[in-house]
Amino acid sequence: MSESKIYRVDAAAITDWAQACARHAGASAQVAAHIARYLVAGDLLGFRTHGLLRLRYNLTCLDNGQSKAAGEPLVLNQRSAVQLWDADLLPGLYTMPKAIEAAIVMAKQCGTGTVVMRRTQHVAALAVYLEQATDAGMLVQLMAATPAQRAVAPFGAKSAWFSPNPLAIGVPTTGAPVLFDISLSMTAAGKVRTAIAEQRQLPYAALITAAGDYTCDPNTFLADPPSVLAPLGGEQLGYKGTGLNLFSEFWTLALSQYGRHQASGDGDANTVWVQVIDPEAFGEGDEFRRQSQAIVTGMLETQAIDPAKPVRVPGSGALAARQRQLEQGVEYTAAVWRQLQWCAEHCQQPLPEPRVTPE
């Protein structure tokens, strides 16, 4: 299989295939549909490390019982606009839309709604859930932490304490929504592994070696002892990333009252903060969207340093990638296609026939 080829496949066909694989692994019809839908959604938006590349992980978790195949999250505590859930190791791809819907219902009643959910199996890309809220005219903020994982060093350290802790926001405007999804580390572990597989250096010094040196070499991630991820801000400004990681873990692990000690055997299971705000609790929803659009428009009208690289709105590239791939087929590299072939053989579900083109 040539490493320089791109495999393109119809989005509906690959979604149906992924759903069939999840069903073969024992997932209920609803759980399987969510796994397929939101992993493909990650690919469509360009979050390659959190798309169908993670299907093998989800199938393995279903096979070995690390992930529940059916069921519902448990509501442990609640008030008018706040709920604490235990997902009981259900797939995050299934529980996240439920948490957002519950937060939307509370926001319509109270102006805001918050769900903190612990022990949900890995949620993949936060960005894929944002439009559920923005389509309802709501602002949404998501944060996820992994209490059993230590991968990110605090500023000034060479050993890890935090998980990568992604943060995402979605904002409705009069046009396309603003969709923002970042990790609070300099890079994500999945991107480091991708760089190793593709035999290339990281674009910036995002790792800290056991000796305390910042490096672009992804292979140090496999050393003994391994390098760790640097916090957002890196060698000069990483104290800002450390503060943001503390913010994330106070709002997730501390509020859920389920932290690193309790979760030591939970693998990649996440704790998630979901908050939705209804602008109509503050005034006219249409006026909020006009004000949001004015902020975006003004930003786009600023003078670019390089005219060939104009200022762009977070999420605009992802939405353009989705439109292109819906028209031309979802794009997979040869390395990812091999992972999908493993899933196909494991589940006895032949992949849809791709259209193969040079990269």
Side-chain angles (χ1 to χ4, degrees):
M1 183 180 293
S2 172
E3 294 298 320
S4 62
K5 291 182 178 179
I6 294 294
Y7 295 73
R8 290 182 173 84
V9 63
D10 177 74
I14 199 70
T15 301
D16 289 344
W17 170 81
Q19 183 173 345
C21 288
R23 288 287 281 156
H24 183 274
S28 70
Q30 276 194 319
V31 169
H34 279 71
I35 289 173
R37 173 183 175 182
Y38 287 103
L39 288 181
V40 173
D43 286 323
L44 287 170
L45 291 174
F47 290 84
R48 305 295 180 186
T49 59
H50 287 63
L52 277 183
L53 181 61
R54 294 197 62 86
L55 180 62
R56 181 172 179 172
Y57 167 83
N58 281 270
L59 297 177
T60 301
C61 287
L62 289 165
D63 285 341
N64 63 24
Q66 285 182 291
S67 184
K68 295 291 180 67
E72 297 298 327
L74 305 173
V75 180
L76 302 181
N77 286 301
Q78 61 181 323
R79 293 186 182 179
S80 298
V82 174
Q83 295 182 11
L84 172 63
W85 290 12
D86 188 320
D88 195 27
L89 296 180
L90 284 161
L93 299 147
Y94 177 67
T95 61
M96 281 295 290
K98 289 181 173 290
I100 292 173
E101 180 57 33
I104 289 173
V105 170
M106 289 187 284
K108 288 179 178 178
Q109 297 173 342
C110 303
T112 186
T114 301
V115 176
V116 175
M117 177 168 57
R118 68 194 196 192
R119 294 205 313 145
T120 187
Q121 197 51 272
H122 199 284
V123 300
L126 294 182
V128 302
Y129 309 108
L130 297 174
E131 288 172 283
Q132 182 180 350
T134 59
D135 286 350
M138 307 276 182
L139 293 89
V140 59
Q141 180 196 68
L142 308 175
M143 290 188 288
T146 310
Q149 181 185 35
R150 299 181 187 181
V152 181
F155 183 62
K158 59 182 181 180
S159 61
W161 177 246
F162 302 118
S163 57
N165 299 345
L167 176 149
I169 64 167
V171 182
T173 71
T174 58
V178 175
L179 306 175
F180 178 61
D181 182 348
I182 61 167
S183 169
L184 298 183
S185 54
M186 282 285 286
T187 191
K191 291 185 177 181
V192 177
R193 296 188 187 100
T194 298
I196 293 170
E198 296 177 353
Q199 299 181 346
R200 59 175 173 80
Q201 295 285 291
L202 297 171
Y204 40 77
L207 298 173
I208 304 172
T209 69
D213 299 317
Y214 282 75
T215 180
C216 299
D217 183 1
N219 295 299
T220 61
F221 207 54
L222 303 178
D224 185 19
S227 60
V228 296
L229 303 177
L232 193 67
E235 187 171 10
Q236 300 299 320
L237 300 173
Y239 64 92
K240 296 184 179 183
T242 295
L244 288 170
N245 275 289
L246 285 170
F247 165 43
S248 173
E249 298 203 2
F250 289 146
W251 265 244
T252 54
L253 307 188
L255 279 179
S256 73
Q257 300 187 9
Y258 189 83
R260 300 192 182 280
H261 175 69
Q262 299 99 320
S264 59
D266 284 353
D268 279 348
N270 296 144
T271 299
V272 186
W273 160 278
V274 175
Q275 185 175 65
V276 169
I277 297 174
D278 184 357
E280 293 193 353
F282 298 83
E284 291 293 330
D286 288 344
E287 182 59 26
F288 170 82
R289 286 185 285 274
R290 283 192 291 269
Q291 293 288 344
S292 296
Q293 186 62 53
I295 294 169
V296 168
T297 300
M299 184 184 79
L300 292 174
E301 290 175 350
T302 57
Q303 187 172 359
I305 296 171
D306 181 352
K309 298 177 181 178
V311 176
R312 60 187 181 93
V313 180
S316 59
L319 293 173
R322 181 172 67 189
Q323 184 60 40
R324 183 188 72 250
Q325 292 185 96
L326 286 173
E327 295 171 357
Q328 301 176 9
V330 191
E331 302 163 2
Y332 296 102
T333 64
V336 175
W337 196 254
R338 280 196 298 271
Q339 292 297 311
L340 302 189
Q341 287 177 324
W342 181 94
C343 297
E345 294 169 6
H346 179 74
C347 297
Q348 301 174 17
Q349 298 291 332
L351 276 160
E353 192 66 31
R355 180 168 55 90
V356 184
T357 59
E359 188 169 5

